[in-house]
Amino acid sequence: MILPGATLGVLGSGQLGRMFVIAACRLGYRTAVLADHPDDPAAQVANEVFLAADQPVAAAAELARACEAVTLEFENIDLAVAEAVAQHVPLHPGPRVLHIAQDRGEERIFLDSIGAPTARHRILESEADAVAAHAELGSDLIFKTCRSGYDGRGQARLHAGSDAAEAFRSLGGARCLAEAVVPFERELSVILARRESGETAVYPPFHNVHRRHILDVTEWPAPDLPAGAAERAEELARSIAEGLGMVGVLCVEMFLEADGNLLVNELAPRPHNSGHVTIEAAWTDQFEQQVRAVAGLPLGATGPRQPGAMVNLLGDVFEQGTPDWARALAHPQAKLHLYGKREPRPGRKMGHLTVLDTDPKRAASAALVLREQLN
Ligand code: ATP
Ligand code: MG
């Protein structure tokens, strides 16, 4: 166990790192971050900042020497950076999990190996593979680059009559995952924390609605699930965490089909945007859970203290000038989180709003009204 007073490190300096740092601070830890810029969201609040600059591997090794354990906020980090850290201190999740989670192809091979259900898929290495997949998997397909896609970037949608070779080329001609479009009823995520001892604490599923490929609204606990779906989703996430030997926080994004069937979409081996609602709504939030898991402390309770909903605040809410924050703050059940980013660009995650209510759907409606009223 790494006890409070020790220094915990995080690779990355965005909002997820920031909220990890805040949770660690609350438990009496010191924190260090690997940042691109000294004014990044997590760098603003950490005790120590190591600038990646043009020597990220050396900076990461330096950070590791200042820490008792290190975690991360984003899986797409250079494996050389991860290995430089892991040489000095425990890195959770470690290089094996990162190797899998950084590459949709490797991730699918892993999920197949443990029998986790996913949409029908093929890994594409060439234009010929792309054409064959379009013929074999059905006409409605999505091609996703295996590496470094997020928020819908690096994806191409195909229909009957689409030119599959051209779609493959448009994504840069690198290895892709082709998968059938799932006519899902809903998108869910399951977040859990797992310690080295194997102790695992799973949150009830989150119901997520995306807009323009970016998470827009989360309701928690996911309301009106078919009987048994929550338990099956939690069990599925648990088996994935075990298969990975995950230490830290893991999010499993899933599709729920009309017949109640669950399919895994993708994995994030770190806190997830859908879990932000746990900060107010759960007994233990996902960032404190990450601190506990990484430090080897007992995990906290994951049940809802009160149901709630979260809406994301993207740079778009700044389009007509500074949003009317006072309006949101005046609502007694609302909580405003801003990440300290100076430049609001469209699509950039600037903050989020959480509303608590005994009914998570009513919470979501209220949060959406509040967001509307920001300008
Ligand atoms: P993230 O920001 O979550 O990392 P991402 O860009 O890595 O997103 P995905 O999660 O794979 O990509 O896809 C983004 C969204 O696109 C999904 O949440 C879902 O709404 C939609 N989507 C992805 N794959 C499928 C599919 N096979 N069928 C239907 N919709 C899909
Ligand atoms: Mg996703």
Side-chain angles (χ1 to χ4, degrees):
M1 262 190 234
I2 298 165
L3 294 176
T7 302
L8 301 177
V10 55
L11 305 178
S13 53
Q15 64 270 18
L16 300 177
R18 178 183 177 97
M19 291 183 270
F20 171 84
V21 164
I22 292 169
C25 175
R26 223 167 41 217
L27 274 173
Y29 288 95
R30 293 183 58 79
T31 55
V33 302
L34 183 69
D36 290 325
H37 192 278
D39 195 39
D40 283 350
Q44 292 171 18
V45 292
N47 296 108
E48 283 180 82
V49 178
F50 294 84
L51 291 178
D54 44 6
Q55 304 271 0
V57 174
E62 231 186 289
L63 168 130
R65 279 190 279 266
C67 295
E68 265 93 334
V70 175
T71 188
L72 44 88
E73 64 155 14
F74 194 48
E75 53 280 15
N76 290 325
I77 56 163
D78 189 346
L79 280 184
V81 165
E83 270 147 19
V85 172
Q87 267 176 18
H88 296 286
V89 282
L91 172 68
H92 300 304
R96 176 176 172 254
V97 173
L98 293 179
H99 172 76
I100 292 171
Q102 300 192 326
D103 186 296
R104 288 186 199 273
E106 296 301 323
E107 190 171 283
R108 230 23 102 88
I109 291 166
F110 162 74
L111 290 169
D112 290 346
S113 79
I114 63 163
T118 56
R120 285 177 298 123
H121 58 275
R122 296 268 190 290
I123 293 170
L124 313 178
E125 309 272 2
S126 65
E127 288 178 28
D129 289 350
V131 172
H134 200 208
E136 289 163 21
L137 295 177
S139 49
D140 268 350
L141 290 187
I142 303 184
F143 288 177
K144 305 177 177 180
T145 54
C146 282
R147 301 192 71 89
S148 70
Y150 69 99
D151 290 343
R153 282 173 236 203
Q155 298 194 7
R157 176 77 191 255
L158 284 81
H159 304 273
S162 297
D163 183 341
E166 164 55 27
F168 181 78
R169 272 198 304 278
S170 76
L171 293 173
R175 212 160 84 109
C176 284
L177 178 72
E179 69 177 27
V181 170
V182 178
F184 57 78
E185 180 112 327
R186 277 199 252 168
E187 288 194 75
L188 303 177
S189 54
V190 174
I191 298 176
L192 60 77
R194 189 169 181 275
R195 278 166 83 182
E196 211 151 25
S197 68
E199 186 201 347
T200 305
V202 189
Y203 292 94
F206 301 78
H207 171 222
N208 303 320
V209 179
H210 292 77
R211 197 162 69 157
R212 288 184 276 135
H213 297 286
I214 303 177
L215 180 65
D216 190 40
V217 184
T218 295
E219 297 168 347
W220 187 73
D224 311 329
L225 291 181
E231 292 74 12
R232 283 185 287 119
E234 289 165 27
E235 199 39 53
L236 183 53
R238 197 184 279 275
S239 68
I240 291 168
E242 252 162 49
L244 286 172
M246 180 70 204
V247 175
V249 167
L250 173 73
C251 176
V252 182
E253 297 179 10
M254 302 179 191
F255 300 129
L256 175 68
E257 297 183 293
D259 61 1
N261 192 39
L262 291 164
L263 299 174
V264 176
N265 174 30
E266 62 168 349
L267 309 179
R270 42 141 176 105
H272 190 261
N273 196 166
S274 59
H276 294 356
V277 65
T278 61
I279 294 174
E280 286 86 11
W283 288 108
T284 317
D285 72 67
Q286 62 168 350
F287 301 101
E288 178 174 335
Q289 215 65 307
Q290 186 183 21
V291 172
R292 291 180 184 225
V294 166
L297 301 177
L299 301 174
T302 49
R305 188 152 46 176
Q306 198 180 355
M310 181 232 49
V311 297
N312 266 332
L313 301 176
L314 303 182
D316 312 58
V317 302
F318 289 77
E319 253 161 27
Q320 292 151 53
T322 306
D324 185 2
W325 302 129
R327 200 75 195 256
L329 292 166
H331 187 294
Q333 266 78 46
K335 284 287 183 181
L336 174 66
H337 296 252
L338 294 171
Y339 307 145
K341 297 181 186 178
R342 301 221 192 271
E343 249 182 85
R345 290 190 293 274
R348 189 176 195 206
K349 290 173 182 169
M350 303 298 290
H352 69 267
L353 265 174
T354 301
V355 173
L356 300 179
D357 191 300
T358 48
D359 176 359
K361 288 189 286 191
R362 204 161 52 207
S365 309
L368 287 167
V369 168
L370 283 181
R371 186 173 66 186
E372 279 301 307
Q373 291 174 342
L374 290 176
N375 41 52

